[in-house]
Amino acid sequence: MATDRRPSLGLAACTAIVVGNMVGSGFYLSPSAVAPYGLLGILFWIVMGVGAMCLGLTFARLANRLPVTGGPYAYTRAAYGDFAGFIVAWGYWISIWASLPLIAAAFTGSLLKLVPALAGNRPIAVAITLGAIWLVTLTNLRGVKEAGRFAEITTYAKLVPFGAIAILGLPWVHFRQIAEFNPRSEEHTSELQSLAYL
């Protein structure tokens, strides 16, 4: 009886890929984007978390009912036909390759903040961004096992500081310094009042 010798990903690598897709650059960049909104930003996180869980449960149910490869393409094709499946696959493919440069740029921006001496050096920033893209590309070209191992290393490495800050940083939280529910609404109100006097 012949065995299947095709390279496959183990549980750790598959988990790392899924977690890596969920905990991307936006997970680290969005706190600074919603920080001006005070506690309303936490409400944003809760709503987004509920939405992400609903999306994950939807795909889990679809995978259980239709255990085929292809993800969103396969499910859409089975429900609505070839053309709808093609549109979803095409849109998903475009969203993937269009977002990769942004992820690499976010990586470069975070790295340059750690090394202030390189900040403002555009050629260095471009070189780091292109180098990050090519590193991931060459790793994927080496094979499935190497790509899975790379996903494990990078995903678990970025979760360690996040967990450390979340747990070890609790003693330094000063609840009296927490902002109001939506400080931006007060700014907006003051702007409207100033316009009313014009």
Side-chain angles (χ1 to χ4, degrees):
M1 182 176 177
T3 58
D4 189 359
R5 296 184 178 276
R6 290 179 300 176
S8 60
L9 297 172
L11 178 62
C14 289
T15 303
I17 291 172
V18 172
V19 171
N21 285 332
M22 293 171 58
V23 185
S25 57
F27 196 80
Y28 291 91
L29 298 178
S30 58
S32 61
V34 299
Y37 298 96
L39 293 178
L40 186 60
I42 296 177
L43 182 61
F44 289 158
W45 276 86
I46 294 172
V47 171
M48 288 188 294
V50 171
M53 286 189 289
C54 291
L55 187 62
L57 290 172
T58 300
F59 275 99
R61 177 66 66 90
L62 288 170
N64 188 36
R65 293 186 62 144
L66 191 66
V68 296
T69 57
Y73 157 75
Y75 307 139
T76 307
R77 181 173 179 268
Y80 302 108
D82 291 340
F83 180 71
F86 170 78
I87 293 297
V88 168
W90 182 260
Y92 183 69
W93 179 68
I94 290 175
S95 70
I96 293 297
W97 64 256
S99 63
L100 292 180
L102 297 176
I103 295 172
F107 166 77
T108 302
S110 299
L111 187 63
L112 293 180
K113 287 180 181 178
L114 294 175
V115 187
L118 298 178
N121 192 328
R122 193 174 183 85
I124 292 293
V126 171
I128 293 173
T129 304
L130 292 176
I133 293 173
W134 275 108
L135 174 64
V136 174
T137 301
L138 295 174
T139 303
N140 283 315
L141 289 175
R142 290 195 61 187
V144 175
K145 289 286 189 184
E146 288 76 8
R149 193 172 298 114
F150 181 79
E152 290 180 46
I153 294 170
T154 54
T155 298
Y156 298 132
K158 70 182 177 183
L159 288 179
V160 168
F162 181 76
I165 291 172
I167 296 172
L168 300 178
L170 288 176
W172 284 271
V173 174
H174 300 289
F175 291 99
R176 64 181 179 275
Q177 294 180 353
I178 293 179
E180 297 180 12
F181 183 74
N182 186 12
R184 291 299 294 264
S185 65
E186 295 181 359
E187 295 177 13
H188 183 65
T189 303
S190 62
E191 288 173 3
L192 291 177
Q193 288 175 348
S194 63
L195 289 174
Y197 288 113
L198 295 178

